[in-house]
Amino acid sequence: MVRILAISGYKPFELGIFKQEHEGITYIKKAIKKTLIPLIEDGLEWVLISGQLGVELWAAEIVYELREEYPELKLALLTPYLNQEVKWKEDNMEYYEYIASQADFVDSITKRDYESPVQLRQKNIFHVEKSDALLLVYDEEKDGTPKYLLETGKKKQEKVDYPIFLIGFYELQMIVEEENLKNNDF
């Protein structure tokens, strides 16, 4: 059973998304929601993110939305280092703070500001070790930063049962087509 699910994926710029109103975000959120609901109904209690812009914060929004129907669902935001958002644009900082303000648990894995990429590797290891499964919005055909978390998850998979759910571009395209069919009443 998956009680704790780590979620991550592409950052907005990796998807060519530069505004919160981008249509693609809607489909990514729908795909995350579609994956989460059966897991929640099967006993999922916690969603774990590191708070990076993009898929992780969009997933947090979905968790908050799903809490209306599944109030037992909780969000943990465990950043790789302190103050990860301080150099972000103001609107991104406000968005992050909005997400963090509603999380059930917020902390940093390394209790210091950014020093080196080692902290990001430590975050990947921590998130995989503390979770029962991994959900990535990532397509192995399109390189991006989620590949490092995926590699860490695959290493754990070699030792224990550790489900990895991938939402790739094919799955996203299927969501787009489903939505178009619904909206066109065919």
mmCIF file with all atom_site columns, all heavy atoms in Angstrom, residues 16 48-49 57-58 67 69 88-89 109 117-118 140 150 164 173:
data_model
loop_
_atom_site.group_PDB
_atom_site.id
_atom_site.type_symbol
_atom_site.label_atom_id
_atom_site.label_alt_id
_atom_site.label_comp_id
_atom_site.label_asym_id
_atom_site.label_entity_id
_atom_site.label_seq_id
_atom_site.pdbx_PDB_ins_code
_atom_site.Cartn_x
_atom_site.Cartn_y
_atom_site.Cartn_z
_atom_site.occupancy
_atom_site.B_iso_or_equiv
_atom_site.pdbx_formal_charge
_atom_site.auth_seq_id
_atom_site.auth_comp_id
_atom_site.auth_asym_id
_atom_site.auth_atom_id
_atom_site.pdbx_PDB_model_num
ATOM 1   N N   . GLY A 1 16  ? 8.320   24.856 -21.391 1.00 0.00 ? 16  GLY A N   1
ATOM 2   C CA  . GLY A 1 16  ? 7.988   26.047 -22.162 1.00 0.00 ? 16  GLY A CA  1
ATOM 3   C C   . GLY A 1 16  ? 6.818   26.814 -21.579 1.00 0.00 ? 16  GLY A C   1
ATOM 4   O O   . GLY A 1 16  ? 6.105   27.519 -22.291 1.00 0.00 ? 16  GLY A O   1
ATOM 5   N N   . LEU A 1 48  ? 4.351   14.116 -0.718  1.00 0.00 ? 48  LEU A N   1
ATOM 6   C CA  . LEU A 1 48  ? 5.629   14.732 -0.354  1.00 0.00 ? 48  LEU A CA  1
ATOM 7   C C   . LEU A 1 48  ? 6.199   15.459 -1.569  1.00 0.00 ? 48  LEU A C   1
ATOM 8   O O   . LEU A 1 48  ? 6.353   14.853 -2.633  1.00 0.00 ? 48  LEU A O   1
ATOM 9   C CB  . LEU A 1 48  ? 6.588   13.629 0.110   1.00 0.00 ? 48  LEU A CB  1
ATOM 10  C CG  . LEU A 1 48  ? 8.044   13.958 0.371   1.00 0.00 ? 48  LEU A CG  1
ATOM 11  C CD1 . LEU A 1 48  ? 8.177   15.007 1.460   1.00 0.00 ? 48  LEU A CD1 1
ATOM 12  C CD2 . LEU A 1 48  ? 8.795   12.690 0.762   1.00 0.00 ? 48  LEU A CD2 1
ATOM 13  N N   . ILE A 1 49  ? 6.475   16.759 -1.403  1.00 0.00 ? 49  ILE A N   1
ATOM 14  C CA  . ILE A 1 49  ? 7.099   17.550 -2.471  1.00 0.00 ? 49  ILE A CA  1
ATOM 15  C C   . ILE A 1 49  ? 8.268   18.341 -1.874  1.00 0.00 ? 49  ILE A C   1
ATOM 16  O O   . ILE A 1 49  ? 8.356   18.510 -0.655  1.00 0.00 ? 49  ILE A O   1
ATOM 17  C CB  . ILE A 1 49  ? 6.102   18.524 -3.155  1.00 0.00 ? 49  ILE A CB  1
ATOM 18  C CG1 . ILE A 1 49  ? 5.570   19.556 -2.162  1.00 0.00 ? 49  ILE A CG1 1
ATOM 19  C CG2 . ILE A 1 49  ? 4.981   17.758 -3.832  1.00 0.00 ? 49  ILE A CG2 1
ATOM 20  C CD1 . ILE A 1 49  ? 4.787   20.700 -2.794  1.00 0.00 ? 49  ILE A CD1 1
ATOM 21  N N   . LEU A 1 57  ? 4.418   22.271 -7.306  1.00 0.00 ? 57  LEU A N   1
ATOM 22  C CA  . LEU A 1 57  ? 3.451   23.222 -6.745  1.00 0.00 ? 57  LEU A CA  1
ATOM 23  C C   . LEU A 1 57  ? 2.071   23.022 -7.353  1.00 0.00 ? 57  LEU A C   1
ATOM 24  O O   . LEU A 1 57  ? 1.054   23.201 -6.673  1.00 0.00 ? 57  LEU A O   1
ATOM 25  C CB  . LEU A 1 57  ? 3.944   24.655 -6.906  1.00 0.00 ? 57  LEU A CB  1
ATOM 26  C CG  . LEU A 1 57  ? 5.229   25.005 -6.132  1.00 0.00 ? 57  LEU A CG  1
ATOM 27  C CD1 . LEU A 1 57  ? 5.537   26.495 -6.239  1.00 0.00 ? 57  LEU A CD1 1
ATOM 28  C CD2 . LEU A 1 57  ? 5.169   24.577 -4.679  1.00 0.00 ? 57  LEU A CD2 1
ATOM 29  N N   . TRP A 1 58  ? 2.014   22.604 -8.621  1.00 0.00 ? 58  TRP A N   1
ATOM 30  C CA  . TRP A 1 58  ? 0.709   22.294 -9.222  1.00 0.00 ? 58  TRP A CA  1
ATOM 31  C C   . TRP A 1 58  ? 0.097   21.079 -8.526  1.00 0.00 ? 58  TRP A C   1
ATOM 32  O O   . TRP A 1 58  ? -1.109  21.040 -8.291  1.00 0.00 ? 58  TRP A O   1
ATOM 33  C CB  . TRP A 1 58  ? 0.852   22.063 -10.724 1.00 0.00 ? 58  TRP A CB  1
ATOM 34  C CG  . TRP A 1 58  ? 1.447   23.222 -11.465 1.00 0.00 ? 58  TRP A CG  1
ATOM 35  C CD1 . TRP A 1 58  ? 1.326   24.549 -11.142 1.00 0.00 ? 58  TRP A CD1 1
ATOM 36  C CD2 . TRP A 1 58  ? 2.256   23.166 -12.632 1.00 0.00 ? 58  TRP A CD2 1
ATOM 37  N NE1 . TRP A 1 58  ? 2.017   25.317 -12.052 1.00 0.00 ? 58  TRP A NE1 1
ATOM 38  C CE2 . TRP A 1 58  ? 2.598   24.504 -12.975 1.00 0.00 ? 58  TRP A CE2 1
ATOM 39  C CE3 . TRP A 1 58  ? 2.726   22.131 -13.430 1.00 0.00 ? 58  TRP A CE3 1
ATOM 40  C CZ2 . TRP A 1 58  ? 3.390   24.812 -14.080 1.00 0.00 ? 58  TRP A CZ2 1
ATOM 41  C CZ3 . TRP A 1 58  ? 3.519   22.442 -14.541 1.00 0.00 ? 58  TRP A CZ3 1
ATOM 42  C CH2 . TRP A 1 58  ? 3.843   23.769 -14.854 1.00 0.00 ? 58  TRP A CH2 1
ATOM 43  N N   . ARG A 1 67  ? -8.597  17.623 -0.863  1.00 0.00 ? 67  ARG A N   1
ATOM 44  C CA  . ARG A 1 67  ? -8.892  17.597 0.578   1.00 0.00 ? 67  ARG A CA  1
ATOM 45  C C   . ARG A 1 67  ? -10.372 17.828 0.869   1.00 0.00 ? 67  ARG A C   1
ATOM 46  O O   . ARG A 1 67  ? -10.864 17.406 1.902   1.00 0.00 ? 67  ARG A O   1
ATOM 47  C CB  . ARG A 1 67  ? -8.100  18.679 1.300   1.00 0.00 ? 67  ARG A CB  1
ATOM 48  C CG  . ARG A 1 67  ? -6.701  18.300 1.599   1.00 0.00 ? 67  ARG A CG  1
ATOM 49  C CD  . ARG A 1 67  ? -6.096  19.422 2.384   1.00 0.00 ? 67  ARG A CD  1
ATOM 50  N NE  . ARG A 1 67  ? -4.740  19.147 2.742   1.00 0.00 ? 67  ARG A NE  1
ATOM 51  C CZ  . ARG A 1 67  ? -3.923  20.059 3.222   1.00 0.00 ? 67  ARG A CZ  1
ATOM 52  N NH1 . ARG A 1 67  ? -4.335  21.289 3.402   1.00 0.00 ? 67  ARG A NH1 1
ATOM 53  N NH2 . ARG A 1 67  ? -2.702  19.737 3.534   1.00 0.00 ? 67  ARG A NH2 1
ATOM 54  N N   . GLU A 1 69  ? -12.823 16.496 -0.637  1.00 0.00 ? 69  GLU A N   1
ATOM 55  C CA  . GLU A 1 69  ? -13.458 15.177 -0.655  1.00 0.00 ? 69  GLU A CA  1
ATOM 56  C C   . GLU A 1 69  ? -12.725 14.165 0.225   1.00 0.00 ? 69  GLU A C   1
ATOM 57  O O   . GLU A 1 69  ? -13.330 13.234 0.740   1.00 0.00 ? 69  GLU A O   1
ATOM 58  C CB  . GLU A 1 69  ? -13.514 14.662 -2.099  1.00 0.00 ? 69  GLU A CB  1
ATOM 59  C CG  . GLU A 1 69  ? -14.402 13.457 -2.269  1.00 0.00 ? 69  GLU A CG  1
ATOM 60  C CD  . GLU A 1 69  ? -14.554 13.051 -3.726  1.00 0.00 ? 69  GLU A CD  1
ATOM 61  O OE1 . GLU A 1 69  ? -14.316 13.884 -4.625  1.00 0.00 ? 69  GLU A OE1 1
ATOM 62  O OE2 . GLU A 1 69  ? -14.901 11.883 -3.955  1.00 0.00 ? 69  GLU A OE2 1
ATOM 63  N N   . TRP A 1 88  ? 13.772  33.841 -6.278  1.00 0.00 ? 88  TRP A N   1
ATOM 64  C CA  . TRP A 1 88  ? 12.729  33.726 -7.280  1.00 0.00 ? 88  TRP A CA  1
ATOM 65  C C   . TRP A 1 88  ? 12.092  35.088 -7.535  1.00 0.00 ? 88  TRP A C   1
ATOM 66  O O   . TRP A 1 88  ? 12.162  35.993 -6.702  1.00 0.00 ? 88  TRP A O   1
ATOM 67  C CB  . TRP A 1 88  ? 11.652  32.743 -6.835  1.00 0.00 ? 88  TRP A CB  1
ATOM 68  C CG  . TRP A 1 88  ? 12.116  31.321 -6.707  1.00 0.00 ? 88  TRP A CG  1
ATOM 69  C CD1 . TRP A 1 88  ? 13.343  30.814 -7.018  1.00 0.00 ? 88  TRP A CD1 1
ATOM 70  C CD2 . TRP A 1 88  ? 11.349  30.228 -6.213  1.00 0.00 ? 88  TRP A CD2 1
ATOM 71  N NE1 . TRP A 1 88  ? 13.375  29.464 -6.752  1.00 0.00 ? 88  TRP A NE1 1
ATOM 72  C CE2 . TRP A 1 88  ? 12.164  29.079 -6.263  1.00 0.00 ? 88  TRP A CE2 1
ATOM 73  C CE3 . TRP A 1 88  ? 10.051  30.101 -5.746  1.00 0.00 ? 88  TRP A CE3 1
ATOM 74  C CZ2 . TRP A 1 88  ? 11.729  27.819 -5.859  1.00 0.00 ? 88  TRP A CZ2 1
ATOM 75  C CZ3 . TRP A 1 88  ? 9.613   28.851 -5.335  1.00 0.00 ? 88  TRP A CZ3 1
ATOM 76  C CH2 . TRP A 1 88  ? 10.445  27.730 -5.399  1.00 0.00 ? 88  TRP A CH2 1
ATOM 77  N N   . LYS A 1 89  ? 11.418  35.198 -8.667  1.00 0.00 ? 89  LYS A N   1
ATOM 78  C CA  . LYS A 1 89  ? 10.647  36.407 -8.953  1.00 0.00 ? 89  LYS A CA  1
ATOM 79  C C   . LYS A 1 89  ? 9.565   36.544 -7.884  1.00 0.00 ? 89  LYS A C   1
ATOM 80  O O   . LYS A 1 89  ? 9.088   35.547 -7.332  1.00 0.00 ? 89  LYS A O   1
ATOM 81  C CB  . LYS A 1 89  ? 9.979   36.317 -10.329 1.00 0.00 ? 89  LYS A CB  1
ATOM 82  C CG  . LYS A 1 89  ? 10.933  36.353 -11.479 1.00 0.00 ? 89  LYS A CG  1
ATOM 83  C CD  . LYS A 1 89  ? 10.138  36.285 -12.774 1.00 0.00 ? 89  LYS A CD  1
ATOM 84  C CE  . LYS A 1 89  ? 11.020  36.030 -13.954 1.00 0.00 ? 89  LYS A CE  1
ATOM 85  N NZ  . LYS A 1 89  ? 10.219  35.786 -15.156 1.00 0.00 ? 89  LYS A NZ  1
ATOM 86  N N   . ILE A 1 109 ? 15.517  19.830 4.447   1.00 0.00 ? 109 ILE A N   1
ATOM 87  C CA  . ILE A 1 109 ? 16.304  18.622 4.687   1.00 0.00 ? 109 ILE A CA  1
ATOM 88  C C   . ILE A 1 109 ? 17.678  19.000 5.226   1.00 0.00 ? 109 ILE A C   1
ATOM 89  O O   . ILE A 1 109 ? 18.130  18.446 6.221   1.00 0.00 ? 109 ILE A O   1
ATOM 90  C CB  . ILE A 1 109 ? 16.378  17.766 3.413   1.00 0.00 ? 109 ILE A CB  1
ATOM 91  C CG1 . ILE A 1 109 ? 14.964  17.270 3.073   1.00 0.00 ? 109 ILE A CG1 1
ATOM 92  C CG2 . ILE A 1 109 ? 17.343  16.590 3.591   1.00 0.00 ? 109 ILE A CG2 1
ATOM 93  C CD1 . ILE A 1 109 ? 14.778  16.759 1.673   1.00 0.00 ? 109 ILE A CD1 1
ATOM 94  N N   . PRO A 1 117 ? 25.229  21.416 -5.267  1.00 0.00 ? 117 PRO A N   1
ATOM 95  C CA  . PRO A 1 117 ? 24.273  20.450 -5.823  1.00 0.00 ? 117 PRO A CA  1
ATOM 96  C C   . PRO A 1 117 ? 24.132  19.183 -4.965  1.00 0.00 ? 117 PRO A C   1
ATOM 97  O O   . PRO A 1 117 ? 23.166  18.443 -5.128  1.00 0.00 ? 117 PRO A O   1
ATOM 98  C CB  . PRO A 1 117 ? 24.867  20.103 -7.194  1.00 0.00 ? 117 PRO A CB  1
ATOM 99  C CG  . PRO A 1 117 ? 25.810  21.201 -7.515  1.00 0.00 ? 117 PRO A CG  1
ATOM 100 C CD  . PRO A 1 117 ? 26.302  21.745 -6.208  1.00 0.00 ? 117 PRO A CD  1
ATOM 101 N N   . VAL A 1 118 ? 25.055  18.956 -4.061  1.00 0.00 ? 118 VAL A N   1
ATOM 102 C CA  . VAL A 1 118 ? 24.959  17.801 -3.155  1.00 0.00 ? 118 VAL A CA  1
ATOM 103 C C   . VAL A 1 118 ? 23.634  17.851 -2.391  1.00 0.00 ? 118 VAL A C   1
ATOM 104 O O   . VAL A 1 118 ? 23.004  16.822 -2.164  1.00 0.00 ? 118 VAL A O   1
ATOM 105 C CB  . VAL A 1 118 ? 26.168  17.761 -2.183  1.00 0.00 ? 118 VAL A CB  1
ATOM 106 C CG1 . VAL A 1 118 ? 25.965  16.743 -1.075  1.00 0.00 ? 118 VAL A CG1 1
ATOM 107 C CG2 . VAL A 1 118 ? 27.447  17.475 -2.952  1.00 0.00 ? 118 VAL A CG2 1
ATOM 108 N N   . GLU A 1 140 ? 10.737  10.024 -20.460 1.00 0.00 ? 140 GLU A N   1
ATOM 109 C CA  . GLU A 1 140 ? 12.142  9.648  -20.621 1.00 0.00 ? 140 GLU A CA  1
ATOM 110 C C   . GLU A 1 140 ? 12.692  10.014 -21.998 1.00 0.00 ? 140 GLU A C   1
ATOM 111 O O   . GLU A 1 140 ? 13.901  10.029 -22.198 1.00 0.00 ? 140 GLU A O   1
ATOM 112 C CB  . GLU A 1 140 ? 12.332  8.163  -20.313 1.00 0.00 ? 140 GLU A CB  1
ATOM 113 C CG  . GLU A 1 140 ? 12.081  7.871  -18.844 1.00 0.00 ? 140 GLU A CG  1
ATOM 114 C CD  . GLU A 1 140 ? 12.332  6.431  -18.448 1.00 0.00 ? 140 GLU A CD  1
ATOM 115 O OE1 . GLU A 1 140 ? 13.490  6.115  -18.099 1.00 0.00 ? 140 GLU A OE1 1
ATOM 116 O OE2 . GLU A 1 140 ? 11.375  5.640  -18.496 1.00 0.00 ? 140 GLU A OE2 1
ATOM 117 N N   . LEU A 1 150 ? 14.228  10.181 -10.746 1.00 0.00 ? 150 LEU A N   1
ATOM 118 C CA  . LEU A 1 150 ? 13.850  8.896  -11.331 1.00 0.00 ? 150 LEU A CA  1
ATOM 119 C C   . LEU A 1 150 ? 14.967  7.868  -11.147 1.00 0.00 ? 150 LEU A C   1
ATOM 120 O O   . LEU A 1 150 ? 14.704  6.723  -10.755 1.00 0.00 ? 150 LEU A O   1
ATOM 121 C CB  . LEU A 1 150 ? 13.512  9.053  -12.816 1.00 0.00 ? 150 LEU A CB  1
ATOM 122 C CG  . LEU A 1 150 ? 13.130  7.777  -13.572 1.00 0.00 ? 150 LEU A CG  1
ATOM 123 C CD1 . LEU A 1 150 ? 11.903  7.105  -12.951 1.00 0.00 ? 150 LEU A CD1 1
ATOM 124 C CD2 . LEU A 1 150 ? 12.883  8.091  -15.047 1.00 0.00 ? 150 LEU A CD2 1
ATOM 125 N N   . ILE A 1 164 ? 6.802   3.279  -9.345  1.00 0.00 ? 164 ILE A N   1
ATOM 126 C CA  . ILE A 1 164 ? 7.094   4.571  -9.959  1.00 0.00 ? 164 ILE A CA  1
ATOM 127 C C   . ILE A 1 164 ? 6.039   4.808  -11.035 1.00 0.00 ? 164 ILE A C   1
ATOM 128 O O   . ILE A 1 164 ? 5.910   4.022  -11.966 1.00 0.00 ? 164 ILE A O   1
ATOM 129 C CB  . ILE A 1 164 ? 8.501   4.616  -10.573 1.00 0.00 ? 164 ILE A CB  1
ATOM 130 C CG1 . ILE A 1 164 ? 9.565   4.421  -9.481  1.00 0.00 ? 164 ILE A CG1 1
ATOM 131 C CG2 . ILE A 1 164 ? 8.722   5.940  -11.315 1.00 0.00 ? 164 ILE A CG2 1
ATOM 132 C CD1 . ILE A 1 164 ? 10.996  4.328  -10.001 1.00 0.00 ? 164 ILE A CD1 1
ATOM 133 N N   . GLN A 1 173 ? -1.295  13.828 -23.574 1.00 0.00 ? 173 GLN A N   1
ATOM 134 C CA  . GLN A 1 173 ? -2.057  13.961 -24.820 1.00 0.00 ? 173 GLN A CA  1
ATOM 135 C C   . GLN A 1 173 ? -3.412  13.258 -24.700 1.00 0.00 ? 173 GLN A C   1
ATOM 136 O O   . GLN A 1 173 ? -4.425  13.762 -25.187 1.00 0.00 ? 173 GLN A O   1
ATOM 137 C CB  . GLN A 1 173 ? -1.262  13.401 -26.007 1.00 0.00 ? 173 GLN A CB  1
ATOM 138 C CG  . GLN A 1 173 ? -1.929  13.601 -27.351 1.00 0.00 ? 173 GLN A CG  1
ATOM 139 C CD  . GLN A 1 173 ? -2.194  15.070 -27.685 1.00 0.00 ? 173 GLN A CD  1
ATOM 140 O OE1 . GLN A 1 173 ? -1.361  15.938 -27.439 1.00 0.00 ? 173 GLN A OE1 1
ATOM 141 N NE2 . GLN A 1 173 ? -3.375  15.352 -28.215 1.00 0.00 ? 173 GLN A NE2 1
#
